[in-house]
Short mmCIF file of all heavy atoms in Angstrom, two decimals:
data_model
loop_
_atom_site.label_atom_id
_atom_site.label_comp_id
_atom_site.label_asym_id
_atom_site.label_seq_id
_atom_site.Cartn_x
_atom_site.Cartn_y
_atom_site.Cartn_z
N ASP A 161 11.52 -23.88 -29.55
CA ASP A 161 10.05 -23.77 -29.39
C ASP A 161 9.64 -22.60 -28.39
O ASP A 161 8.57 -22.14 -28.48
CB ASP A 161 9.42 -25.04 -28.95
CG ASP A 161 9.58 -26.13 -29.97
OD1 ASP A 161 9.97 -25.87 -31.10
OD2 ASP A 161 9.18 -27.28 -29.67
N ASP A 162 10.54 -22.27 -27.50
CA ASP A 162 10.15 -21.34 -26.45
C ASP A 162 10.38 -19.83 -26.87
O ASP A 162 10.00 -18.94 -26.15
CB ASP A 162 10.98 -21.58 -25.20
CG ASP A 162 10.56 -22.88 -24.54
OD1 ASP A 162 9.42 -23.33 -24.73
OD2 ASP A 162 11.41 -23.41 -23.78
N HIS A 163 10.93 -19.61 -28.08
CA HIS A 163 11.15 -18.20 -28.45
C HIS A 163 10.73 -17.92 -29.87
O HIS A 163 10.83 -16.74 -30.34
CB HIS A 163 12.66 -17.90 -28.31
CG HIS A 163 13.13 -17.83 -26.89
ND1 HIS A 163 13.12 -16.65 -26.21
CD2 HIS A 163 13.66 -18.75 -26.08
CE1 HIS A 163 13.59 -16.95 -24.98
NE2 HIS A 163 13.88 -18.18 -24.86
N ALA A 164 10.14 -18.90 -30.63
CA ALA A 164 9.78 -18.64 -31.98
C ALA A 164 8.26 -18.46 -32.14
O ALA A 164 7.44 -19.06 -31.41
CB ALA A 164 10.22 -19.82 -32.83
N ILE A 165 7.95 -17.61 -33.13
CA ILE A 165 6.52 -17.36 -33.42
C ILE A 165 6.42 -17.29 -34.96
O ILE A 165 7.26 -16.76 -35.65
CB ILE A 165 6.11 -15.94 -32.84
CG1 ILE A 165 6.10 -16.00 -31.36
CG2 ILE A 165 4.71 -15.59 -33.37
CD1 ILE A 165 5.89 -14.61 -30.74
N ILE A 166 5.32 -17.94 -35.43
CA ILE A 166 5.03 -17.84 -36.84
C ILE A 166 3.91 -16.87 -37.12
O ILE A 166 2.84 -16.88 -36.43
CB ILE A 166 4.57 -19.25 -37.39
CG1 ILE A 166 5.75 -20.24 -37.23
CG2 ILE A 166 4.24 -19.20 -38.87
CD1 ILE A 166 7.02 -19.98 -37.98
N VAL A 167 4.10 -15.94 -38.06
CA VAL A 167 3.04 -15.01 -38.50
C VAL A 167 2.79 -15.18 -40.00
O VAL A 167 3.57 -15.77 -40.71
CB VAL A 167 3.49 -13.54 -38.24
CG1 VAL A 167 3.68 -13.33 -36.73
CG2 VAL A 167 4.73 -13.18 -39.02
N THR A 168 1.69 -14.65 -40.50
CA THR A 168 1.43 -14.72 -41.96
C THR A 168 1.98 -13.49 -42.63
O THR A 168 2.39 -13.52 -43.79
CB THR A 168 -0.12 -14.81 -42.25
OG1 THR A 168 -0.72 -13.61 -41.78
CG2 THR A 168 -0.68 -16.07 -41.66
N ASP A 169 2.02 -12.31 -41.96
CA ASP A 169 2.28 -11.00 -42.70
C ASP A 169 1.28 -10.87 -43.80
O ASP A 169 1.66 -10.41 -44.90
CB ASP A 169 3.69 -10.93 -43.17
CG ASP A 169 4.12 -9.46 -43.51
OD1 ASP A 169 3.39 -8.52 -43.14
OD2 ASP A 169 5.16 -9.30 -44.21
N ALA A 170 0.07 -11.24 -43.59
CA ALA A 170 -0.99 -11.35 -44.68
C ALA A 170 -1.35 -9.95 -45.16
O ALA A 170 -1.44 -8.99 -44.43
CB ALA A 170 -2.18 -11.99 -44.12
N VAL A 171 -1.48 -9.86 -46.51
CA VAL A 171 -2.01 -8.64 -47.11
C VAL A 171 -3.30 -9.00 -47.76
O VAL A 171 -3.80 -10.15 -47.62
CB VAL A 171 -1.00 -8.15 -48.20
CG1 VAL A 171 0.28 -7.64 -47.57
CG2 VAL A 171 -0.67 -9.21 -49.26
N ALA A 172 -3.96 -8.05 -48.43
CA ALA A 172 -5.38 -8.19 -48.83
C ALA A 172 -5.60 -9.57 -49.59
O ALA A 172 -6.71 -10.11 -49.40
CB ALA A 172 -5.77 -7.03 -49.68
N PRO A 173 -4.77 -10.01 -50.42
CA PRO A 173 -5.07 -11.22 -51.18
C PRO A 173 -5.17 -12.55 -50.33
O PRO A 173 -5.76 -13.55 -50.78
CB PRO A 173 -3.89 -11.43 -52.14
CG PRO A 173 -3.28 -10.10 -52.24
CD PRO A 173 -3.50 -9.40 -50.91
N ALA A 174 -4.72 -12.44 -49.05
CA ALA A 174 -4.69 -13.64 -48.24
C ALA A 174 -6.07 -14.21 -48.10
O ALA A 174 -7.07 -13.54 -47.88
CB ALA A 174 -4.12 -13.33 -46.90
N GLY A 175 -6.22 -15.54 -48.29
CA GLY A 175 -7.45 -16.20 -48.16
C GLY A 175 -8.29 -16.24 -49.46
O GLY A 175 -9.39 -16.83 -49.48
N LEU A 176 -7.81 -15.60 -50.50
CA LEU A 176 -8.60 -15.57 -51.76
C LEU A 176 -7.94 -16.24 -52.93
O LEU A 176 -8.63 -16.92 -53.71
CB LEU A 176 -8.75 -14.07 -52.18
CG LEU A 176 -9.75 -13.22 -51.33
CD1 LEU A 176 -9.90 -11.83 -51.93
CD2 LEU A 176 -11.07 -13.93 -51.22
N GLY A 177 -6.60 -16.12 -53.12
CA GLY A 177 -5.94 -16.71 -54.22
C GLY A 177 -5.41 -15.65 -55.23
O GLY A 177 -5.37 -14.51 -54.96
N PRO A 178 -5.05 -16.13 -56.44
CA PRO A 178 -4.48 -15.26 -57.45
C PRO A 178 -5.43 -14.11 -57.80
O PRO A 178 -6.61 -14.19 -57.79
CB PRO A 178 -4.18 -16.12 -58.64
CG PRO A 178 -4.12 -17.53 -58.07
CD PRO A 178 -5.10 -17.50 -56.88
N GLY A 179 -4.77 -12.94 -58.18
CA GLY A 179 -5.54 -11.80 -58.66
C GLY A 179 -4.80 -10.49 -58.49
O GLY A 179 -3.63 -10.51 -58.16
N ARG A 180 -5.48 -9.38 -58.65
CA ARG A 180 -4.88 -8.06 -58.44
C ARG A 180 -5.50 -7.36 -57.21
O ARG A 180 -6.68 -7.36 -57.09
CB ARG A 180 -5.11 -7.19 -59.72
CG ARG A 180 -4.36 -5.82 -59.66
CD ARG A 180 -4.48 -5.10 -60.96
NE ARG A 180 -3.80 -5.76 -62.03
CZ ARG A 180 -2.56 -5.67 -62.34
NH1 ARG A 180 -1.76 -4.93 -61.56
NH2 ARG A 180 -2.01 -6.32 -63.42
N TYR A 181 -4.60 -6.85 -56.33
CA TYR A 181 -5.09 -6.35 -55.07
C TYR A 181 -4.23 -5.12 -54.74
O TYR A 181 -3.19 -4.86 -55.38
CB TYR A 181 -4.95 -7.36 -53.93
CG TYR A 181 -5.60 -8.65 -54.25
CD1 TYR A 181 -4.90 -9.64 -54.90
CD2 TYR A 181 -6.92 -8.86 -53.86
CE1 TYR A 181 -5.50 -10.86 -55.12
CE2 TYR A 181 -7.56 -10.12 -54.15
CZ TYR A 181 -6.87 -11.10 -54.76
OH TYR A 181 -7.54 -12.30 -55.02
N ASN A 182 -4.66 -4.39 -53.68
CA ASN A 182 -3.86 -3.28 -53.13
C ASN A 182 -3.36 -3.48 -51.77
O ASN A 182 -3.93 -4.14 -50.99
CB ASN A 182 -4.81 -1.98 -53.19
CG ASN A 182 -5.15 -1.59 -54.62
OD1 ASN A 182 -4.29 -1.53 -55.46
ND2 ASN A 182 -6.39 -1.23 -54.76
N LEU A 183 -2.20 -2.88 -51.48
CA LEU A 183 -1.69 -2.75 -50.12
C LEU A 183 -1.01 -1.41 -50.06
O LEU A 183 0.00 -1.13 -50.65
CB LEU A 183 -0.67 -3.84 -49.81
CG LEU A 183 0.13 -3.62 -48.49
CD1 LEU A 183 -0.78 -3.61 -47.28
CD2 LEU A 183 1.25 -4.62 -48.30
N GLY A 184 -1.68 -0.45 -49.29
CA GLY A 184 -1.15 0.87 -49.24
C GLY A 184 -0.97 1.44 -50.63
O GLY A 184 -1.88 1.57 -51.37
#
């Protein structure tokens, strides 16, 4: 617990659901 971190590495679709999106 003292050295771990959780990230999302979220890209544009995060928070929306299925679909077509861009990243770079």
Side-chain angles (χ1 to χ4, degrees):
D161 294 354
D162 291 336
H163 290 271
I165 295 171
I166 300 295
V167 300
T168 63
D169 195 16
V171 294
L176 289 185
R180 187 174 293 277
Y181 307 91
N182 292 317
L183 169 62

